[in-house]
Amino acid sequence: MISSSEPINGIITKIKTENIQFPFIAKPNIGLRGTAVKKINTVEELENYVEKAKFDILIQDLIPYENEIGLFYVKLPNQTGKITGIVSKEFMILTGNGKNTLRELIQQDLRYLFQLETLEEEYKEQLAIVLKPGETINLVPYGNHCRGTKFVDASFEITPEMTESFNKICQQIEGFHFGRMDIMYHSFAELSQGKNFQIVEINGAISEPTHMYDPKHSLLFGWKELTRHFHYMYLISKHNKQNGANYLTFKEGVQEFKNHHKHYDTILEF
């Protein structure tokens, strides 16, 4: 974690010490919905990012796997943990035809078009580039719904072998009973065996069962999935309370809610 007030030379030294190479990902230490997540290619881009940031920053290596999922894990009281859903993520990838510019290709896809303003700011004159036939570019190399990634329900990929593998992983995380892991991986077959994947981040109680955002699902399906997971959270919370867990008072909870929105407003200004 890096403070935005830290001098750029100190930040670069830390990056070198951790053996992180360009390009890498910079993002808020406490973030939401992919806001202010950016791929950093050069020292100049890093300087610009740090100059704009009014929040503490995390810097992460680019992970060398081409696929990403969100895997929701729940461990109910006195039960073995289970995977309650998997969302597969389709990135914003353009394929060139030797004729149209990147901007023109974006304008041909309604989902991509929603992101044009953000992409204009990030890519600038690069959107005038014409890709060769068959050449591809991943416009947003991190799987966030709000940044244009399509979410597809892949819960059918859950297997007993995968569940056993992630039970072993999650048992090593003290106090983790409920949440979604964002994972980069090579193939589902290897993922089930606990091979060739990396966990990008773990989201806790605020997590959503994002497989519900698959366009094929109805609003009713989304409500049912939210209700199902809220009930899981209630059962876990009740059990933890009975076993001595400390809870915030109502006043403390309201204050934390205000602090959250204040922090998020700061990120939105980025």
Side-chain angles (χ1 to χ4, degrees):
M1 193 271 290
I2 292 172
S3 170
S4 61
S5 61
E6 188 166 342
I8 190 66
N9 289 339
I11 295 175
I12 292 173
T13 298
K14 281 187 176 181
I15 291 170
K16 290 180 178 178
T17 300
E18 295 296 330
N19 200 29
I20 296 175
Q21 308 292 325
F22 288 96
F24 54 73
I25 296 294
K27 63 183 183 181
N29 182 39
I30 301 174
L32 188 67
R33 301 187 184 280
T35 306
V37 177
K38 184 174 175 60
K39 182 180 178 182
I40 305 295
N41 297 287
T42 64
V43 172
E44 182 181 6
E45 289 184 8
L46 177 61
E47 288 178 319
N48 292 336
Y49 186 95
V50 172
E51 185 177 344
K52 291 175 62 178
K54 298 178 182 178
F55 44 78
D56 292 336
I57 302 164
L58 283 180
I59 290 177
Q60 296 180 330
D61 274 314
L62 278 180
I63 295 174
Y65 299 119
E66 62 273 28
N67 301 309
E68 182 175 345
I69 59 166
L71 182 149
F72 212 108
Y73 177 86
V74 172
K75 187 179 185 304
L76 293 172
N78 305 315
Q79 294 186 25
T80 303
K82 61 182 179 180
I83 301 169
T84 60
I86 292 178
V87 62
S88 180
K89 303 181 180 184
E90 294 184 4
F91 294 107
M92 291 179 60
I93 297 176
L94 293 179
T95 302
N97 56 16
K99 300 176 182 178
N100 295 108
T101 64
L102 294 180
R103 182 179 289 101
E104 290 169 343
L105 292 174
I106 291 168
Q107 291 170 336
Q108 293 172 16
D109 189 300
L110 287 177
R111 179 162 63 93
Y112 292 12
L113 188 57
F114 279 116
Q115 302 296 324
L116 182 56
E117 184 177 346
T118 302
L119 294 171
E120 289 272 12
E121 182 178 344
E122 183 166 347
Y123 283 90
K124 299 181 174 61
E125 66 277 358
Q126 293 181 58
L127 291 187
I129 292 173
V130 176
L131 297 179
K132 298 176 183 177
E135 183 181 1
T136 62
I137 181 173
N138 186 348
L139 295 171
V140 184
Y142 25 85
N144 190 275
H145 196 251
C146 295
R147 299 291 296 274
T149 299
K150 182 180 178 181
F151 283 8
V152 178
D153 191 346
S155 299
F156 61 89
E157 296 283 2
I158 300 171
T159 64
E161 186 180 30
M162 183 186 294
T163 300
E164 182 181 356
S165 177
F166 277 91
N167 266 320
K168 291 178 181 177
I169 292 170
C170 294
Q171 285 170 6
Q172 300 175 52
I173 307 172
E174 185 177 356
F176 181 61
H177 305 285
F178 177 99
R180 191 190 69 249
M181 290 172 274
D182 294 331
I183 299 167
M184 301 290 291
Y185 69 102
H186 178 63
S187 71
F188 273 113
E190 291 180 332
L191 182 63
S192 288
Q193 298 169 16
K195 299 176 181 177
N196 292 330
F197 73 92
Q198 284 187 318
I199 298 174
V200 180
E201 62 184 35
I202 299 176
N203 305 276
I206 200 173
S207 302
E208 294 177 313
T210 47
H211 56 277
M212 69 182 182
Y213 289 122
D214 188 320
K216 73 172 181 286
H217 288 319
S218 66
L219 179 60
L220 179 60
F221 177 90
W223 286 343
K224 287 181 177 179
E225 283 301 275
L226 284 173
T227 302
R228 178 166 74 105
H229 285 79
F230 286 156
H231 184 64
Y232 291 151
M233 192 189 303
Y234 161 74
L235 294 175
I236 293 166
S237 300
K238 182 180 178 180
H239 175 79
N240 288 345
K241 179 68 172 178
Q242 292 170 344
N243 284 273
N246 293 320
Y247 278 42
L248 297 176
T249 65
F250 178 77
K251 184 177 180 180
E252 290 169 338
V254 170
Q255 185 57 52
E256 287 298 318
F257 185 74
K258 290 180 179 179
N259 292 342
H260 167 79
H261 278 277
K262 183 178 180 181
H263 177 72
Y264 189 46
D265 288 343
T266 300
I267 296 175
L268 287 175
E269 293 173 0
F270 181 84

